[in-house]
PDB file of all heavy atoms in Angstrom:
ATOM      1  N   ILE A  66     -10.557   1.993   8.846  1.00  0.00           N
ATOM      2  CA  ILE A  66      -9.961   0.646   8.853  1.00  0.00           C
ATOM      3  C   ILE A  66     -10.396  -0.182   7.635  1.00  0.00           C
ATOM      4  O   ILE A  66      -9.726  -1.148   7.266  1.00  0.00           O
ATOM      5  CB  ILE A  66     -10.276  -0.119  10.169  1.00  0.00           C
ATOM      6  CG1 ILE A  66      -9.257  -1.252  10.332  1.00  0.00           C
ATOM      7  CG2 ILE A  66     -11.688  -0.623  10.211  1.00  0.00           C
ATOM      8  CD1 ILE A  66      -9.326  -1.995  11.633  1.00  0.00           C
ATOM      9  N   GLN A  72      -6.938  -4.410   1.746  1.00  0.00           N
ATOM     10  CA  GLN A  72      -5.730  -4.092   0.965  1.00  0.00           C
ATOM     11  C   GLN A  72      -5.195  -5.274   0.151  1.00  0.00           C
ATOM     12  O   GLN A  72      -4.491  -5.079  -0.828  1.00  0.00           O
ATOM     13  CB  GLN A  72      -4.637  -3.528   1.883  1.00  0.00           C
ATOM     14  CG  GLN A  72      -4.161  -4.486   2.949  1.00  0.00           C
ATOM     15  CD  GLN A  72      -3.150  -3.848   3.889  1.00  0.00           C
ATOM     16  OE1 GLN A  72      -2.435  -2.951   3.481  1.00  0.00           O
ATOM     17  NE2 GLN A  72      -3.108  -4.292   5.129  1.00  0.00           N
ATOM     18  N   GLU A 109     -31.300  16.589  26.577  1.00  0.00           N
ATOM     19  CA  GLU A 109     -29.850  16.625  26.833  1.00  0.00           C
ATOM     20  C   GLU A 109     -29.125  15.687  25.863  1.00  0.00           C
ATOM     21  O   GLU A 109     -29.551  14.556  25.658  1.00  0.00           O
ATOM     22  CB  GLU A 109     -29.565  16.152  28.273  1.00  0.00           C
ATOM     23  CG  GLU A 109     -29.976  17.143  29.342  1.00  0.00           C
ATOM     24  CD  GLU A 109     -28.959  18.262  29.515  1.00  0.00           C
ATOM     25  OE1 GLU A 109     -27.855  18.155  28.972  1.00  0.00           O
ATOM     26  OE2 GLU A 109     -29.301  19.237  30.207  1.00  0.00           O
ATOM     27  N   MET A 112     -23.543  12.487  27.605  1.00  0.00           N
ATOM     28  CA  MET A 112     -23.504  11.073  27.992  1.00  0.00           C
ATOM     29  C   MET A 112     -23.886  10.854  29.443  1.00  0.00           C
ATOM     30  O   MET A 112     -24.401   9.802  29.807  1.00  0.00           O
ATOM     31  CB  MET A 112     -22.081  10.533  27.788  1.00  0.00           C
ATOM     32  CG  MET A 112     -21.728  10.389  26.352  1.00  0.00           C
ATOM     33  SD  MET A 112     -20.024   9.910  26.229  1.00  0.00           S
ATOM     34  CE  MET A 112     -19.769  10.207  24.520  1.00  0.00           C
ATOM     35  N   LEU A 277      -2.169 -15.465  28.427  1.00  0.00           N
ATOM     36  CA  LEU A 277      -3.534 -15.190  27.953  1.00  0.00           C
ATOM     37  C   LEU A 277      -4.552 -16.014  28.740  1.00  0.00           C
ATOM     38  O   LEU A 277      -5.648 -15.563  29.044  1.00  0.00           O
ATOM     39  CB  LEU A 277      -3.655 -15.508  26.460  1.00  0.00           C
ATOM     40  CG  LEU A 277      -3.355 -14.387  25.470  1.00  0.00           C
ATOM     41  CD1 LEU A 277      -3.176 -14.948  24.083  1.00  0.00           C
ATOM     42  CD2 LEU A 277      -4.452 -13.340  25.463  1.00  0.00           C
ATOM     43  N   ILE A 292      -9.985  -9.124  39.629  1.00  0.00           N
ATOM     44  CA  ILE A 292     -11.427  -9.100  39.342  1.00  0.00           C
ATOM     45  C   ILE A 292     -12.173 -10.078  40.251  1.00  0.00           C
ATOM     46  O   ILE A 292     -13.200  -9.741  40.841  1.00  0.00           O
ATOM     47  CB  ILE A 292     -11.691  -9.411  37.846  1.00  0.00           C
ATOM     48  CG1 ILE A 292     -11.267  -8.218  36.976  1.00  0.00           C
ATOM     49  CG2 ILE A 292     -13.167  -9.729  37.602  1.00  0.00           C
ATOM     50  CD1 ILE A 292     -11.297  -8.482  35.493  1.00  0.00           C
ATOM     51  N   ILE A 365       4.462  -6.115  39.642  1.00  0.00           N
ATOM     52  CA  ILE A 365       4.085  -4.714  39.922  1.00  0.00           C
ATOM     53  C   ILE A 365       2.638  -4.593  40.407  1.00  0.00           C
ATOM     54  O   ILE A 365       2.122  -3.488  40.562  1.00  0.00           O
ATOM     55  CB  ILE A 365       4.330  -3.773  38.716  1.00  0.00           C
ATOM     56  CG1 ILE A 365       3.400  -4.117  37.544  1.00  0.00           C
ATOM     57  CG2 ILE A 365       5.763  -3.765  38.283  1.00  0.00           C
ATOM     58  CD1 ILE A 365       3.296  -3.003  36.540  1.00  0.00           C
TER      59      ILE A 365
END
Side-chain angles (χ1 to χ4, degrees):
I66 200 173
Q72 62 184 331
E109 288 280 349
M112 289 175 194
L277 270 166
I292 288 172
I365 66 162

